[in-house]
Amino acid sequence: MLLTLSNFHDRGARSEQFTSEPHLIRSLSLMDVIMVGIAAMIGGSIFVLTGPAIGLAGSAVIIAFIINAVITLFTAMAYAELGSAMPEAGGGYLWVREGLPRPNAFISGWMAWFAHIVAGSLYAVSFASFVNGFLESINYDFFQSNGFISIDKLIAVLSIVGFIYLNIKGTSETGKAGVIVTIVQLGLIFTFIGIGIWIMYANPEWTINFNDFIPLGITGIIAAMGLTFIAFEGYEVIVQTGEEIKNPKKNIPKAIFISLTAVVVLYCLIAFVSIGAIFPTDISSWEFIGSYGELGIMKAAELVMPYGAFIILIGGMISTLAALNATTFSSARVAFAMGRHYNLPHQFSSIHKKNKTPYVAILLSGLIMAFMAYAFPLDQIAIAAGVIFLLLFVQVNLAVINIRRIYGDKLNYGFKMPFFPMFPIMGIILKISLAIYLLITAPLSWVITLIWVAIGFGIYRLYTFKKEIDHYAPIITSEGDLTRAEFRIMIPYTPENPDRLIRYALNIAKATNGEINVLRTITVPHQTPLSAGIAFSDRAKKSFTQLEKIIDEENIMNHYLVRISHDTNESVLATIEEQKIDLMITDFETLRNSKKLQALVTCNILAIKTSGEDNLLFEPINKKVNPNYIQKKYNLTVINDHRHDSDLIFKAIEWLEISKSFNINILSLKNKKNDSAIREDLYKSKKLDYLKEITFESNDLYLPEEAENNAEQLSDLILSAINASQPDLVITSSVIGKFSFFNSTQLLVLIDQLNCPVIVTKDFNIPVVHSAKFWLSKIFHVNR
């Protein structure tokens, strides 16, 4: 046996220190955050991307902008909902942490941090380019390279350094600077729009510019959408203000919807007047603009008003500065949140004592941003940032579904999206579609994305994960065999009845040549430092004595772990990942009452409702006591709708039947739609190696259509069919048809009426697939 005690005192001290650290202060008004959102969404894109988009779609670029806004709205509502209910620095990273299993949170934060930094670098380089254009327009040749120094790159770096200083100086100062810069930016945009509309009003023939409204067809609209969609995703920056905005419950949703609406209108108006207010000869206005690509809007402005190009250049400079300010702010908040949760070094969460800003996160994020702006070509990296944002939005849309499942009405929402969960599912589908579009049109962006994610995953496995669980659920006692088995079973220890699940685990361990891990969690109140739990370690270790004796008698490899945590669920989730658990055997009521475990566990689960006489089902284990005892056969009934957990159900049959003590009856729930699926499932089961030597009967229960939508009727039909076989043990999937044993009152009544142990299986699915399937079935169903 090996016994190790972790050096817990230092970690406990860090926990106590963390609780006393200063926090960010709420100094930003609604207007401040609206301006942050507008600045992030406009950037320089309104001047740089609108021209090429017009070249791709013609006048129909306005349709492309509106469709992009609708697509964006699905995810924007998820951000508004979660931003109002969980207003903390970190935004999408924080919600993925709450709603998806590890390592999604680290990967999402790692991606978001990179994407914000790349965006900031791009804005800085774009600012330098606009400055270059401005100086060239006044015939001032300042930007010639001087030896090894690239002056435009140097300007980009200096602009970043300036905003690093401003952001460290204070959030209020950052907000005021953002408001001033954005107001100047909007003033220039409205000047261009106003003069353009006046010219159109004075020239009734302007409508001729829109006669051929969709010159390049639907493909042109789609191409313009693909080019400009990322411009409308600035709400990720807005939610990063969650800990610093006043009244976030109301103001975050308002800021998201107001800024998004304003930006869409501005993009449409810029395109509208650029096309409608110019009258080039021998060429249509949209072709004229498109022929100049990124300079198209500037060339249009030259024809619209005096010094038009000059004004657009000034507008571009101001816009990129406003966006640089916003992304410097947001990248630092992502790093700050990751440091707070030990997904980055904890120093990232340090807050300046005087300025109340995350100065370490700002400084390091800004320095990386400056290095990238100076050293790297950013065109493909910028497109990769677009892919990364799309993947982050997919995770957030999924997280909003799971967070509603986990927390229900416990969160205080300032906004809840309608038609839930249809909208986040639509958001998932649309964002994945756009990501695939980028895979086809810019495959190198995906290569960069995958490399960055792979680097992050390596850091997570080698460093971050250990730091995180050492802080939130540290091991204080670990005992067990030095060797490890390939198949690993975990049982959360319950002091009230510690051995009630052990017989199931022993049978499964024998069938799989596996090991049993028993986890004991010492729960400490949130207001108490974790170090207080160390006093209970000896008592916790002694509690394993009875289980250790039972397991050693069967010569099964075993390990015993004691963790301290504020949250038992966090301890369980950490152990499953750290110990690479394949199967968790837990009490049914424990799992039913924990939405968090249901949503975030990353292994298969057998949730067992015991009866107190479970040991009798596994008499071969007790045969040593009486070698002459004649083995009794027990009735094992399996409920299978062949749509949920079928593979795990058949594995559970094989695991338990190693004792050769069961007569097995599979009750197949049939309807008109799944008859062929059942035949295929049963055929496959007979071919599986682990079921070849097991004999079972199969009976069918045909469900009328009304029973599929009525849990009470479904429950009555199943109970009648099961009672006919007089089961001693029942195995069922966690979901039957459209109803879950964890949520449906009628199915819970069914379990209580069976008067025998019941094993409820729940297999691990990829969260996106599992949740999407779950909620798609719910969309067209009213639970009765």
Side-chain angles (χ1 to χ4, degrees):
M1 301 292 286
L2 173 67
L3 170 62
T4 61
L5 292 178
S6 300
N7 182 13
F8 181 76
H9 297 283
D10 290 340
R11 289 193 296 264
R14 290 201 301 269
S15 176
E16 295 177 68
Q17 181 184 5
F18 174 68
T19 59
S20 63
E21 285 180 352
H23 294 278
L24 302 174
I25 58 174
R26 298 196 181 277
S27 58
L28 296 177
S29 67
L30 173 62
M31 181 58 67
D32 292 334
V33 179
I34 288 174
M35 291 302 178
V36 167
I38 290 175
M41 285 187 251
I42 288 180
S45 301
I46 197 166
F47 302 116
V48 175
L49 294 183
T50 304
I54 290 173
L56 292 171
S59 305
V61 70
I62 296 172
I63 296 176
F65 288 154
I66 293 172
I67 296 174
N68 269 343
V70 173
I71 291 173
T72 294
L73 187 61
F74 294 119
T75 301
M77 284 191 287
Y79 270 78
E81 176 172 316
L82 293 177
S84 70
M86 297 179 171
E88 293 184 33
Y93 156 76
L94 172 73
W95 308 325
V96 171
R97 179 181 176 81
E98 290 293 325
L100 296 181
R102 292 184 177 96
N104 279 279
F106 174 81
I107 296 300
S108 69
W110 181 251
M111 292 193 303
W113 188 39
F114 175 77
H116 284 288
I117 287 174
V118 170
S121 302
L122 184 63
Y123 290 134
V125 171
S126 299
F127 168 71
S129 297
F130 278 115
V131 172
N132 186 20
F134 169 74
L135 293 176
E136 286 180 352
S137 70
I138 60 175
N139 297 318
Y140 188 82
D141 192 14
F142 178 74
F143 270 75
Q144 284 189 345
S145 179
N146 181 14
F148 67 92
I149 299 176
S150 175
I151 301 299
D152 57 341
K153 292 283 190 179
L154 183 60
I155 292 293
V157 170
L158 290 176
S159 66
I160 294 171
V161 171
F163 281 109
I164 290 174
Y165 172 78
L166 188 64
N167 274 263
I168 290 177
K169 188 67 178 174
T171 301
S172 179
E173 287 79 0
T174 303
K176 289 175 183 176
V179 169
I180 293 170
V181 173
T182 305
I183 287 176
V184 174
Q185 168 193 35
L186 292 175
L188 294 172
I189 292 172
F190 281 123
T191 299
F192 176 58
I193 292 172
I195 295 175
I197 291 175
W198 182 80
I199 291 174
M200 293 168 67
Y201 177 77
N203 292 271
E205 295 182 357
W206 67 268
T207 56
I208 197 171
N209 288 336
F210 296 94
N211 283 348
D212 188 9
F213 193 73
I214 312 179
L216 299 177
I218 300 298
T219 55
I221 294 175
I222 294 173
M225 289 171 57
L227 179 67
T228 60
F229 75 90
I230 200 64
F232 301 111
E233 313 291 352
Y235 41 78
E236 164 66 19
V237 176
I238 291 174
V239 298
Q240 298 299 338
T241 67
E243 284 186 50
E244 293 156 285
I245 184 175
K246 301 171 184 176
N247 193 8
K249 178 182 173 182
K250 292 183 178 179
N251 285 339
I252 286 181
K254 285 181 181 178
I256 288 174
F257 295 129
I258 291 172
S259 59
L260 180 59
T261 302
V263 166
V264 172
V265 170
L266 289 175
Y267 269 86
C268 290
L269 286 175
I270 286 286
F272 178 67
V273 300
S274 297
I275 296 170
I278 63 173
F279 304 92
T281 57
D282 300 327
I283 190 173
S284 63
S285 59
W286 72 266
E287 288 177 303
F288 173 82
I289 295 170
S291 66
Y292 286 97
E294 295 177 353
L295 300 177
I297 299 302
M298 187 177 71
K299 293 297 182 181
E302 287 181 339
L303 301 178
V304 169
M305 57 186 176
Y307 305 105
F310 178 81
I311 290 175
I312 293 300
L313 285 171
I314 295 294
M317 290 165 55
I318 297 297
S319 297
T320 50
L321 282 179
L324 176 57
N325 181 47
T327 50
T328 303
F329 178 93
S330 60
S331 62
R333 268 52 184 184
V334 175
F336 166 77
M338 294 182 72
R340 172 186 281 176
H341 295 291
Y342 292 82
N343 283 163
L344 286 177
H346 192 55
Q347 289 78 4
F348 276 74
S349 65
S350 300
I351 295 176
H352 197 282
K353 291 182 179 179
K354 178 181 177 182
N355 299 329
K356 305 299 182 184
T357 54
Y359 67 101
V360 174
I362 294 170
L363 181 61
L364 292 178
S365 298
L367 290 176
I368 296 171
M369 190 183 296
F371 175 75
M372 294 186 70
Y374 191 87
F376 290 102
L378 293 175
D379 49 353
Q380 287 294 328
I381 296 177
I383 300 175
V387 175
I388 286 171
F389 274 125
L390 288 173
L391 297 179
L392 174 63
F393 297 148
V394 169
Q395 288 179 302
V396 170
N397 276 300
L398 179 62
V400 74
I401 296 174
N402 271 351
I403 285 172
R404 281 234 199 154
R405 290 177 60 192
I406 293 170
Y407 293 101
D409 295 327
K410 295 178 182 178
L411 295 177
N412 188 12
Y413 292 98
F415 168 82
K416 291 183 78 170
M417 72 178 75
F419 303 107
F420 186 88
M422 184 182 297
F423 279 2
I425 290 175
M426 288 297 298
I428 291 169
I429 294 170
L430 291 169
K431 298 306 180 188
I432 290 176
S433 300
L434 287 170
I436 293 173
Y437 171 82
L438 287 178
L439 175 63
I440 296 170
T441 58
L444 183 58
S445 65
W446 266 89
V447 174
I448 295 170
T449 299
L450 293 176
I451 290 173
W452 183 252
V453 170
I455 292 171
F457 189 77
I459 293 172
Y460 173 79
R461 293 307 310 178
L462 296 175
Y463 173 80
T464 298
F465 174 66
K466 185 178 185 302
K467 289 290 184 181
E468 184 182 5
I469 64 170
D470 276 354
H471 180 75
Y472 288 105
I475 292 179
I476 59 169
T477 299
S478 176
E479 289 186 349
D481 294 285
L482 290 171
T483 56
R484 303 300 301 267
E486 188 171 333
F487 190 86
R488 300 177 185 181
I489 305 161
M490 187 187 81
I491 302 177
Y493 179 88
T494 51
E496 302 82 17
N497 193 356
D499 61 344
R500 59 180 169 176
L501 301 176
I502 199 66
R503 295 298 177 187
Y504 296 93
L506 287 169
N507 244 45
I508 295 172
K510 285 187 172 183
T512 59
N513 291 318
E515 67 178 39
I516 297 175
N517 297 266
V518 183
L519 171 66
R520 175 77 185 268
T521 302
I522 299 173
T523 307
V524 177
H526 284 278
Q527 64 273 20
T528 305
L530 293 182
S531 54
I534 195 73
F536 301 94
S537 60
D538 289 339
R539 187 189 305 175
K541 189 179 72 168
K542 291 177 182 177
S543 66
F544 292 138
T545 304
Q546 181 179 353
L547 291 180
E548 188 176 1
K549 181 179 179 181
I550 296 173
I551 297 173
D552 285 345
E553 286 179 354
E554 302 298 332
N555 197 28
I556 301 293
M557 279 195 288
N558 55 81
H559 297 88
Y560 303 94
L561 307 170
V562 179
R563 291 188 183 274
I564 300 178
S565 181
H566 294 303
D567 181 1
T568 301
N569 294 330
E570 181 66 30
S571 174
V572 170
L573 295 171
T575 303
I576 288 172
E577 185 169 3
E578 181 190 53
Q579 301 296 321
K580 298 180 173 60
I581 299 299
D582 299 288
L583 177 70
M584 180 172 74
I585 300 177
T586 187
D587 177 70
F588 172 76
E589 288 298 325
T590 299
L591 187 63
R592 184 179 75 84
N593 292 323
S594 176
K595 301 291 185 182
K596 188 172 183 178
L597 286 182
Q598 293 175 34
L600 303 184
V601 164
T602 54
C603 68
N604 292 332
I605 304 173
L606 299 184
I608 302 176
K609 177 185 177 293
T610 57
S611 66
E613 298 181 354
D614 304 64
N615 289 356
L616 298 177
L617 299 174
F618 306 107
E619 288 182 309
I621 294 175
N622 294 324
K623 201 169 183 180
K624 297 176 184 177
V625 178
N626 186 358
N628 298 320
Y629 187 78
I630 299 175
Q631 181 176 337
K632 178 183 177 181
K633 284 283 189 177
Y634 294 94
N635 295 325
L636 169 59
T637 299
V638 179
I639 307 171
N640 195 355
D641 69 352
H642 300 271
R643 285 184 283 179
H644 306 92
D645 308 340
S646 282
D647 287 344
L648 182 55
I649 285 175
F650 287 127
K651 286 181 181 178
I653 293 172
E654 185 264 342
W655 291 337
L656 297 177
E657 179 52 9
I658 191 174
S659 62
K660 305 296 183 183
S661 56
F662 292 107
N663 297 313
I664 302 170
N665 176 37
I666 297 178
L667 179 65
S668 297
L669 306 184
K670 283 192 173 185
N671 56 36
K672 294 179 180 179
K673 298 178 182 178
N674 74 341
D675 188 52
S676 60
I678 289 176
R679 286 197 302 270
E680 181 182 351
D681 211 13
L682 288 174
Y683 174 77
K684 283 167 53 181
S685 69
K686 292 176 181 176
K687 295 295 182 181
L688 293 174
D689 290 338
Y690 54 76
L691 290 182
K692 281 183 178 179
E693 297 181 3
I694 296 178
T695 302
F696 59 86
E697 296 181 4
S698 179
N699 295 302
D700 299 331
L701 174 61
Y702 286 91
L703 301 177
E705 189 171 344
E706 56 270 20
E708 295 183 48
N709 296 314
N710 188 306
E712 185 174 2
Q713 186 174 354
L714 176 67
S715 178
D716 290 341
L717 289 171
I718 293 174
L719 182 62
S720 299
I722 290 178
N723 284 338
S725 62
Q726 297 182 332
D728 299 293
L729 176 65
V730 172
I731 300 177
T732 179
S733 60
S734 59
V735 178
I736 296 293
K738 300 176 180 178
F739 303 98
S740 168
F741 277 97
F742 301 125
N743 302 320
S744 171
T745 303
Q746 289 77 17
L747 291 187
L748 289 173
V749 171
L750 169 64
I751 287 182
D752 290 335
Q753 292 176 329
L754 289 175
N755 296 318
C756 68
V758 179
I759 300 176
V760 179
T761 65
K762 187 178 187 301
D763 63 1
F764 170 62
N765 287 281
I766 299 173
V768 173
V769 176
H770 176 73
S771 294
K773 286 166 59 180
F774 177 86
W775 284 106
L776 280 172
S777 69
K778 286 284 189 181
I779 288 173
F780 305 103
H781 166 64
V782 178
N783 197 346
R784 294 198 274 277

